[in-house]
Amino acid sequence: MTDRNDELAANLAKVERRIAAACAAAGRKREEVTLIVVTKTYPASDVRLLSGLGVRHVAENRDQDAAPKAAECSDLPLSWHFVGQLQTNKVRSVVGYADVVQSVDRSRLVTALSKEAERVGRELGCLLQVALDAGERERGERGGVAPAGIEELADLVARAPGLRLDGLMTVAPLTGEYAGRQRAAFERLMDLSTDLRRAHPAANMVSAGMSADLEEAVAAGATHVRVGTAVLGVRAGLG
Ligand SMILES: *Cc1c(COP(=O)(O)O)cnc(C)c1O
């Protein structure tokens, strides 16, 4: 346990140095970037250690794993972000613990989230997940709304009771014109964020960048980076 705490502390310090260096290189203040630690596949005991080490935002991508973990950690001062593809039949569970859903990508999901948030009397933060590998009107391989669909979906979230439109999220695409071009992908997301904020000025969160490309995301202007492997270690199997 103590060894694991030391390991997590050392990894967090390394990630912190990377974020600070990326901010300095971009002429940004360190406070402009929030670290979200992606704890998927790792146990609640790690989440507890991370909380003790000062982490305030954690993210999960599968409700089956996240729900019991969040319940075990409900005494901790953490914000929970849901970042995985979300089926409407999981919405009730996810709204039970998530503070922010970063993977909102279709109107049916907006309707379901709104209904459940209203039912339990909570306000749920929503980021639209943007698929930069999608065709004009399609959804992405790993979820996400195509850029052309952002405006309509954003208006829907903004009008939905119980939901708060917080901004945009993306995962650097593995295929299409942005494959291997993280910096260009994140800059495109920033442009889309600028467009979004014309109609929705408060929706200023930009969630981009993971362990391998957080520097590119910070350089492009991301406000939130989602880091798993670099803090917790390489995940066994799928995740
Ligand atoms: C797993 C995951 C991350 C973290 O990825 P790492 O490479 O482990 O840092 C970030 N965002 C999403 C959506 C993820 O599923």
Side-chain angles (χ1 to χ4, degrees):
M1 192 60 132
T2 309
D3 287 352
R4 182 60 169 158
N5 196 60
D6 291 348
E7 185 182 354
L8 292 176
N11 289 347
L12 266 181
K14 255 184 253 169
V15 167
E16 179 51 42
R17 281 197 294 277
R18 286 177 60 191
I19 297 172
C23 285
R28 303 181 63 194
K29 294 202 191 77
R30 172 62 189 88
E31 312 86 81
E32 292 176 30
V33 179
T34 299
L35 170 64
I36 302 171
V37 178
V38 183
T39 49
K40 64 188 181 193
T41 78
Y42 285 95
S45 55
D46 279 350
V47 177
R48 192 163 287 279
L49 291 174
L50 289 167
S51 177
L53 291 166
V55 168
R56 288 296 166 260
H57 295 267
V58 293
E60 289 282 332
N61 72 335
R62 289 161 62 102
D63 176 61
Q64 306 89 290
D65 302 334
K69 226 185 278 187
E72 246 183 272
C73 296
S74 62
D75 58 315
L76 302 175
L78 291 169
S79 289
W80 290 78
H81 297 250
F82 192 85
V83 298
Q85 291 192 45
L86 180 52
Q87 305 304 320
T88 47
N89 64 354
K90 303 285 191 208
V91 157
R92 177 162 291 197
S93 173
V94 168
V95 173
Y97 58 86
D99 298 284
V100 180
V101 172
Q102 298 205 1
S103 44
V104 176
D105 62 358
R106 60 199 190 279
S107 56
R108 249 167 60 82
L109 185 54
V110 173
T111 310
L113 288 168
S114 172
K115 201 170 144 196
E116 183 58 19
E118 271 235 287
R119 193 185 70 84
V120 298
R122 299 193 55 184
E123 185 180 65
L124 182 70
C126 292
L127 300 189
L128 306 189
Q129 181 180 345
V130 179
L132 294 172
D133 57 354
E136 268 303 290
R137 282 274 163 196
E138 298 159 34
R139 286 183 50 225
E141 189 102 337
R142 291 174 293 172
V145 62
I150 293 174
E151 189 177 346
E152 191 181 327
L153 197 59
D155 290 344
L156 195 64
V157 172
R159 282 198 310 268
L163 305 185
R164 183 184 67 238
L165 180 66
D166 281 343
L168 301 180
M169 176 273 231
T170 204
V171 178
L174 299 172
T175 58
E177 61 171 315
Y178 291 107
R181 299 171 59 223
Q182 284 90 337
R183 177 72 186 265
F186 297 147
E187 280 172 357
R188 173 86 171 113
L189 186 71
M190 283 308 300
D191 288 343
L192 295 167
S193 167
T194 303
D195 292 345
L196 175 72
R197 280 176 283 139
R198 289 206 184 91
H200 304 281
N204 58 7
M205 273 177 70
V206 180
S207 173
M210 317 200 296
S211 294
D213 53 22
L214 73 87
E215 282 83 2
E216 284 84 356
V218 170
T223 63
H224 291 69
V225 292
R226 311 177 306 268
V227 180
T229 312
V231 173
L232 289 139
V234 176
R235 289 177 293 275
L238 278 179

mmCIF file of all heavy atoms in Angstrom, residues 168-200:
data_model
loop_
_atom_site.group_PDB
_atom_site.id
_atom_site.type_symbol
_atom_site.label_atom_id
_atom_site.label_comp_id
_atom_site.label_asym_id
_atom_site.label_seq_id
_atom_site.Cartn_x
_atom_site.Cartn_y
_atom_site.Cartn_z
ATOM 1 N N LEU A 168 -16.468 21.008 -24.863
ATOM 2 C CA LEU A 168 -16.176 19.958 -25.844
ATOM 3 C C LEU A 168 -15.061 19.024 -25.356
ATOM 4 O O LEU A 168 -14.195 19.420 -24.583
ATOM 5 C CB LEU A 168 -15.718 20.579 -27.174
ATOM 6 C CG LEU A 168 -16.669 21.534 -27.877
ATOM 7 C CD1 LEU A 168 -16.020 22.039 -29.179
ATOM 8 C CD2 LEU A 168 -18.014 20.873 -28.176
ATOM 9 N N MET A 169 -15.112 17.808 -25.852
ATOM 10 C CA MET A 169 -14.082 16.810 -25.562
ATOM 11 C C MET A 169 -13.721 16.093 -26.849
ATOM 12 O O MET A 169 -14.572 15.945 -27.729
ATOM 13 C CB MET A 169 -14.642 15.825 -24.543
ATOM 14 C CG MET A 169 -13.750 14.657 -24.197
ATOM 15 S SD MET A 169 -13.889 13.210 -25.265
ATOM 16 C CE MET A 169 -14.113 11.948 -24.023
ATOM 17 N N THR A 170 -12.481 15.673 -26.979
ATOM 18 C CA THR A 170 -12.155 14.773 -28.084
ATOM 19 C C THR A 170 -11.054 13.806 -27.678
ATOM 20 O O THR A 170 -10.358 14.002 -26.676
ATOM 21 C CB THR A 170 -11.724 15.533 -29.363
ATOM 22 O OG1 THR A 170 -11.954 14.694 -30.503
ATOM 23 C CG2 THR A 170 -10.254 15.927 -29.339
ATOM 24 N N VAL A 171 -10.970 12.733 -28.436
ATOM 25 C CA VAL A 171 -9.862 11.788 -28.347
ATOM 26 C C VAL A 171 -9.141 11.891 -29.687
ATOM 27 O O VAL A 171 -9.787 11.877 -30.741
ATOM 28 C CB VAL A 171 -10.388 10.345 -28.155
ATOM 29 C CG1 VAL A 171 -9.243 9.346 -28.105
ATOM 30 C CG2 VAL A 171 -11.250 10.254 -26.893
ATOM 31 N N ALA A 172 -7.825 12.022 -29.667
ATOM 32 C CA ALA A 172 -7.078 12.153 -30.923
ATOM 33 C C ALA A 172 -7.387 10.955 -31.820
ATOM 34 O O ALA A 172 -7.271 9.820 -31.394
ATOM 35 C CB ALA A 172 -5.577 12.245 -30.642
ATOM 36 N N PRO A 173 -7.822 11.202 -33.055
ATOM 37 C CA PRO A 173 -8.231 10.093 -33.927
ATOM 38 C C PRO A 173 -7.073 9.213 -34.385
ATOM 39 O O PRO A 173 -5.951 9.690 -34.549
ATOM 40 C CB PRO A 173 -8.847 10.800 -35.142
ATOM 41 C CG PRO A 173 -8.696 12.239 -34.939
ATOM 42 C CD PRO A 173 -7.956 12.512 -33.682
ATOM 43 N N LEU A 174 -7.386 7.931 -34.565
ATOM 44 C CA LEU A 174 -6.387 6.978 -35.069
ATOM 45 C C LEU A 174 -6.477 6.843 -36.578
ATOM 46 O O LEU A 174 -5.576 6.312 -37.226
ATOM 47 C CB LEU A 174 -6.621 5.598 -34.435
ATOM 48 C CG LEU A 174 -6.514 5.525 -32.913
ATOM 49 C CD1 LEU A 174 -6.952 4.155 -32.402
ATOM 50 C CD2 LEU A 174 -5.082 5.825 -32.474
ATOM 51 N N THR A 175 -7.607 7.320 -37.143
ATOM 52 C CA THR A 175 -7.804 7.211 -38.591
ATOM 53 C C THR A 175 -8.236 8.579 -39.124
ATOM 54 O O THR A 175 -8.559 9.484 -38.361
ATOM 55 C CB THR A 175 -8.922 6.192 -38.921
ATOM 56 O OG1 THR A 175 -10.115 6.617 -38.268
ATOM 57 C CG2 THR A 175 -8.559 4.796 -38.456
ATOM 58 N N GLY A 176 -8.245 8.691 -40.448
ATOM 59 C CA GLY A 176 -8.705 9.919 -41.075
ATOM 60 C C GLY A 176 -7.607 10.965 -41.153
ATOM 61 O O GLY A 176 -6.443 10.682 -40.868
ATOM 62 N N GLU A 177 -7.990 12.173 -41.523
ATOM 63 C CA GLU A 177 -6.994 13.202 -41.831
ATOM 64 C C GLU A 177 -6.160 13.638 -40.623
ATOM 65 O O GLU A 177 -5.084 14.197 -40.784
ATOM 66 C CB GLU A 177 -7.678 14.434 -42.466
ATOM 67 C CG GLU A 177 -8.696 15.089 -41.566
ATOM 68 C CD GLU A 177 -9.195 16.428 -42.105
ATOM 69 O OE1 GLU A 177 -8.357 17.234 -42.556
ATOM 70 O OE2 GLU A 177 -10.413 16.676 -42.058
ATOM 71 N N TYR A 178 -6.662 13.373 -39.397
ATOM 72 C CA TYR A 178 -5.916 13.794 -38.210
ATOM 73 C C TYR A 178 -5.117 12.669 -37.568
ATOM 74 O O TYR A 178 -4.501 12.864 -36.523
ATOM 75 C CB TYR A 178 -6.861 14.409 -37.175
ATOM 76 C CG TYR A 178 -7.415 15.732 -37.619
ATOM 77 C CD1 TYR A 178 -8.738 15.850 -38.023
ATOM 78 C CD2 TYR A 178 -6.606 16.869 -37.642
ATOM 79 C CE1 TYR A 178 -9.255 17.066 -38.445
ATOM 80 C CE2 TYR A 178 -7.104 18.090 -38.057
ATOM 81 C CZ TYR A 178 -8.429 18.186 -38.462
ATOM 82 O OH TYR A 178 -8.921 19.391 -38.869
ATOM 83 N N ALA A 179 -5.112 11.486 -38.174
ATOM 84 C CA ALA A 179 -4.354 10.367 -37.617
ATOM 85 C C ALA A 179 -2.884 10.755 -37.470
ATOM 86 O O ALA A 179 -2.269 11.234 -38.429
ATOM 87 C CB ALA A 179 -4.504 9.146 -38.520
ATOM 88 N N GLY A 180 -2.357 10.598 -36.270
ATOM 89 C CA GLY A 180 -0.947 10.918 -36.037
ATOM 90 C C GLY A 180 -0.649 12.409 -36.003
ATOM 91 O O GLY A 180 0.501 12.806 -35.892
ATOM 92 N N ARG A 181 -1.676 13.234 -36.074
ATOM 93 C CA ARG A 181 -1.468 14.698 -36.047
ATOM 94 C C ARG A 181 -2.238 15.299 -34.875
ATOM 95 O O ARG A 181 -3.189 16.061 -35.045
ATOM 96 C CB ARG A 181 -1.962 15.321 -37.361
ATOM 97 C CG ARG A 181 -1.214 14.785 -38.602
ATOM 98 C CD ARG A 181 -1.878 15.270 -39.874
ATOM 99 N NE ARG A 181 -1.912 16.727 -39.954
ATOM 100 C CZ ARG A 181 -2.959 17.448 -40.350
ATOM 101 N NH1 ARG A 181 -4.092 16.837 -40.685
ATOM 102 N NH2 ARG A 181 -2.899 18.753 -40.409
ATOM 103 N N GLN A 182 -1.793 14.942 -33.658
ATOM 104 C CA GLN A 182 -2.522 15.356 -32.459
ATOM 105 C C GLN A 182 -2.654 16.871 -32.334
ATOM 106 O O GLN A 182 -3.716 17.384 -32.006
ATOM 107 C CB GLN A 182 -1.822 14.824 -31.194
ATOM 108 C CG GLN A 182 -2.037 13.348 -30.943
ATOM 109 C CD GLN A 182 -0.975 12.490 -31.591
ATOM 110 O OE1 GLN A 182 -0.317 12.911 -32.564
ATOM 111 N NE2 GLN A 182 -0.795 11.294 -31.077
ATOM 112 N N ARG A 183 -1.547 17.549 -32.611
ATOM 113 C CA ARG A 183 -1.571 18.997 -32.435
ATOM 114 C C ARG A 183 -2.629 19.626 -33.344
ATOM 115 O O ARG A 183 -3.419 20.475 -32.924
ATOM 116 C CB ARG A 183 -0.178 19.571 -32.725
ATOM 117 C CG ARG A 183 -0.064 21.075 -32.659
ATOM 118 C CD ARG A 183 -0.132 21.585 -31.221
ATOM 119 N NE ARG A 183 -0.159 23.043 -31.189
ATOM 120 C CZ ARG A 183 0.922 23.816 -31.023
ATOM 121 N NH1 ARG A 183 2.100 23.275 -30.863
ATOM 122 N NH2 ARG A 183 0.817 25.122 -31.003
ATOM 123 N N ALA A 184 -2.654 19.173 -34.610
ATOM 124 C CA ALA A 184 -3.646 19.701 -35.556
ATOM 125 C C ALA A 184 -5.061 19.333 -35.120
ATOM 126 O O ALA A 184 -5.990 20.146 -35.216
ATOM 127 C CB ALA A 184 -3.356 19.151 -36.957
ATOM 128 N N ALA A 185 -5.224 18.121 -34.601
ATOM 129 C CA ALA A 185 -6.545 17.693 -34.142
ATOM 130 C C ALA A 185 -7.018 18.572 -32.984
ATOM 131 O O ALA A 185 -8.168 19.032 -32.959
ATOM 132 C CB ALA A 185 -6.493 16.226 -33.703
ATOM 133 N N PHE A 186 -6.123 18.824 -32.036
ATOM 134 C CA PHE A 186 -6.522 19.618 -30.865
ATOM 135 C C PHE A 186 -6.755 21.081 -31.247
ATOM 136 O O PHE A 186 -7.608 21.757 -30.662
ATOM 137 C CB PHE A 186 -5.466 19.488 -29.753
ATOM 138 C CG PHE A 186 -5.321 18.073 -29.238
ATOM 139 C CD1 PHE A 186 -4.093 17.599 -28.800
ATOM 140 C CD2 PHE A 186 -6.414 17.208 -29.209
ATOM 141 C CE1 PHE A 186 -3.951 16.290 -28.332
ATOM 142 C CE2 PHE A 186 -6.290 15.898 -28.741
ATOM 143 C CZ PHE A 186 -5.058 15.446 -28.305
ATOM 144 N N GLU A 187 -6.009 21.568 -32.230
ATOM 145 C CA GLU A 187 -6.259 22.936 -32.694
ATOM 146 C C GLU A 187 -7.626 23.040 -33.373
ATOM 147 O O GLU A 187 -8.337 24.036 -33.224
ATOM 148 C CB GLU A 187 -5.119 23.408 -33.600
ATOM 149 C CG GLU A 187 -3.947 23.859 -32.751
ATOM 150 C CD GLU A 187 -2.679 24.161 -33.522
ATOM 151 O OE1 GLU A 187 -2.664 23.966 -34.752
ATOM 152 O OE2 GLU A 187 -1.711 24.580 -32.867
ATOM 153 N N ARG A 188 -7.974 21.996 -34.089
ATOM 154 C CA ARG A 188 -9.311 21.960 -34.706
ATOM 155 C C ARG A 188 -10.392 21.978 -33.619
ATOM 156 O O ARG A 188 -11.387 22.683 -33.733
ATOM 157 C CB ARG A 188 -9.438 20.697 -35.566
ATOM 158 C CG ARG A 188 -10.817 20.448 -36.131
ATOM 159 C CD ARG A 188 -11.032 21.187 -37.444
ATOM 160 N NE ARG A 188 -12.283 20.776 -38.067
ATOM 161 C CZ ARG A 188 -13.345 21.557 -38.215
ATOM 162 N NH1 ARG A 188 -13.302 22.817 -37.809
ATOM 163 N NH2 ARG A 188 -14.433 21.104 -38.783
ATOM 164 N N LEU A 189 -10.166 21.219 -32.559
ATOM 165 C CA LEU A 189 -11.131 21.211 -31.457
ATOM 166 C C LEU A 189 -11.246 22.605 -30.834
ATOM 167 O O LEU A 189 -12.347 23.057 -30.503
ATOM 168 C CB LEU A 189 -10.719 20.196 -30.385
ATOM 169 C CG LEU A 189 -11.751 20.003 -29.254
ATOM 170 C CD1 LEU A 189 -12.987 19.275 -29.755
ATOM 171 C CD2 LEU A 189 -11.140 19.267 -28.062
ATOM 172 N N MET A 190 -10.116 23.310 -30.704
ATOM 173 C CA MET A 190 -10.144 24.676 -30.157
ATOM 174 C C MET A 190 -10.960 25.609 -31.051
ATOM 175 O O MET A 190 -11.709 26.446 -30.560
ATOM 176 C CB MET A 190 -8.723 25.238 -30.014
ATOM 177 C CG MET A 190 -7.945 24.727 -28.839
ATOM 178 S SD MET A 190 -8.783 24.871 -27.238
ATOM 179 C CE MET A 190 -9.018 26.650 -27.129
ATOM 180 N N ASP A 191 -10.802 25.464 -32.373
ATOM 181 C CA ASP A 191 -11.589 26.291 -33.299
ATOM 182 C C ASP A 191 -13.083 26.003 -33.118
ATOM 183 O O ASP A 191 -13.914 26.921 -33.121
ATOM 184 C CB ASP A 191 -11.189 26.007 -34.748
ATOM 185 C CG ASP A 191 -9.815 26.563 -35.082
ATOM 186 O OD1 ASP A 191 -9.317 27.423 -34.319
ATOM 187 O OD2 ASP A 191 -9.221 26.136 -36.093
ATOM 188 N N LEU A 192 -13.405 24.728 -32.959
ATOM 189 C CA LEU A 192 -14.805 24.360 -32.766
ATOM 190 C C LEU A 192 -15.320 24.908 -31.432
ATOM 191 O O LEU A 192 -16.476 25.328 -31.321
ATOM 192 C CB LEU A 192 -14.965 22.834 -32.820
ATOM 193 C CG LEU A 192 -14.647 22.206 -34.187
ATOM 194 C CD1 LEU A 192 -14.518 20.688 -34.083
ATOM 195 C CD2 LEU A 192 -15.719 22.591 -35.221
ATOM 196 N N SER A 193 -14.444 24.949 -30.436
ATOM 197 C CA SER A 193 -14.815 25.517 -29.133
ATOM 198 C C SER A 193 -15.082 27.021 -29.259
ATOM 199 O O SER A 193 -16.031 27.546 -28.654
ATOM 200 C CB SER A 193 -13.696 25.254 -28.116
ATOM 201 O OG SER A 193 -13.892 26.023 -26.956
ATOM 202 N N THR A 194 -14.250 27.697 -30.035
ATOM 203 C CA THR A 194 -14.458 29.135 -30.265
ATOM 204 C C THR A 194 -15.827 29.376 -30.898
ATOM 205 O O THR A 194 -16.572 30.269 -30.474
ATOM 206 C CB THR A 194 -13.338 29.693 -31.169
ATOM 207 O OG1 THR A 194 -12.085 29.426 -30.539
ATOM 208 C CG2 THR A 194 -13.493 31.190 -31.385
ATOM 209 N N ASP A 195 -16.165 28.556 -31.897
ATOM 210 C CA ASP A 195 -17.488 28.672 -32.538
ATOM 211 C C ASP A 195 -18.597 28.437 -31.522
ATOM 212 O O ASP A 195 -19.575 29.186 -31.463
ATOM 213 C CB ASP A 195 -17.639 27.614 -33.657
ATOM 214 C CG ASP A 195 -16.717 27.903 -34.834
ATOM 215 O OD1 ASP A 195 -16.198 29.031 -34.920
ATOM 216 O OD2 ASP A 195 -16.512 26.987 -35.655
ATOM 217 N N LEU A 196 -18.446 27.377 -30.724
ATOM 218 C CA LEU A 196 -19.473 27.017 -29.740
ATOM 219 C C LEU A 196 -19.707 28.149 -28.749
ATOM 220 O O LEU A 196 -20.844 28.462 -28.390
ATOM 221 C CB LEU A 196 -19.030 25.752 -28.982
ATOM 222 C CG LEU A 196 -19.930 25.303 -27.826
ATOM 223 C CD1 LEU A 196 -21.235 24.723 -28.371
ATOM 224 C CD2 LEU A 196 -19.230 24.265 -26.947
ATOM 225 N N ARG A 197 -18.618 28.786 -28.312
ATOM 226 C CA ARG A 197 -18.727 29.819 -27.281
ATOM 227 C C ARG A 197 -19.391 31.102 -27.778
ATOM 228 O O ARG A 197 -19.805 31.930 -26.972
ATOM 229 C CB ARG A 197 -17.347 30.099 -26.670
ATOM 230 C CG ARG A 197 -16.961 29.048 -25.623
ATOM 231 C CD ARG A 197 -15.567 29.262 -25.099
ATOM 232 N NE ARG A 197 -14.568 28.807 -26.064
ATOM 233 C CZ ARG A 197 -13.435 29.453 -26.348
ATOM 234 N NH1 ARG A 197 -13.155 30.596 -25.763
ATOM 235 N NH2 ARG A 197 -12.597 28.965 -27.244
ATOM 236 N N ARG A 198 -19.509 31.266 -29.102
ATOM 237 C CA ARG A 198 -20.254 32.422 -29.612
ATOM 238 C C ARG A 198 -21.693 32.337 -29.151
ATOM 239 O O ARG A 198 -22.286 33.319 -28.717
ATOM 240 C CB ARG A 198 -20.193 32.465 -31.132
ATOM 241 C CG ARG A 198 -18.825 32.828 -31.622
ATOM 242 C CD ARG A 198 -18.839 33.489 -33.000
ATOM 243 N NE ARG A 198 -17.449 33.698 -33.374
ATOM 244 C CZ ARG A 198 -16.725 32.818 -34.069
ATOM 245 N NH1 ARG A 198 -17.282 31.711 -34.534
ATOM 246 N NH2 ARG A 198 -15.466 33.050 -34.332
ATOM 247 N N ALA A 199 -22.275 31.145 -29.217
ATOM 248 C CA ALA A 199 -23.670 30.966 -28.804
ATOM 249 C C ALA A 199 -23.792 30.580 -27.334
ATOM 250 O O ALA A 199 -24.814 30.841 -26.705
ATOM 251 C CB ALA A 199 -24.327 29.898 -29.684
ATOM 252 N N HIS A 200 -22.733 29.943 -26.788
ATOM 253 C CA HIS A 200 -22.793 29.424 -25.416
ATOM 254 C C HIS A 200 -21.508 29.813 -24.687
ATOM 255 O O HIS A 200 -20.598 28.990 -24.514
ATOM 256 C CB HIS A 200 -22.947 27.893 -25.434
ATOM 257 C CG HIS A 200 -24.121 27.407 -26.218
ATOM 258 N ND1 HIS A 200 -25.412 27.425 -25.717
ATOM 259 C CD2 HIS A 200 -24.223 26.927 -27.473
ATOM 260 C CE1 HIS A 200 -26.249 26.948 -26.623
ATOM 261 N NE2 HIS A 200 -25.552 26.647 -27.706
#
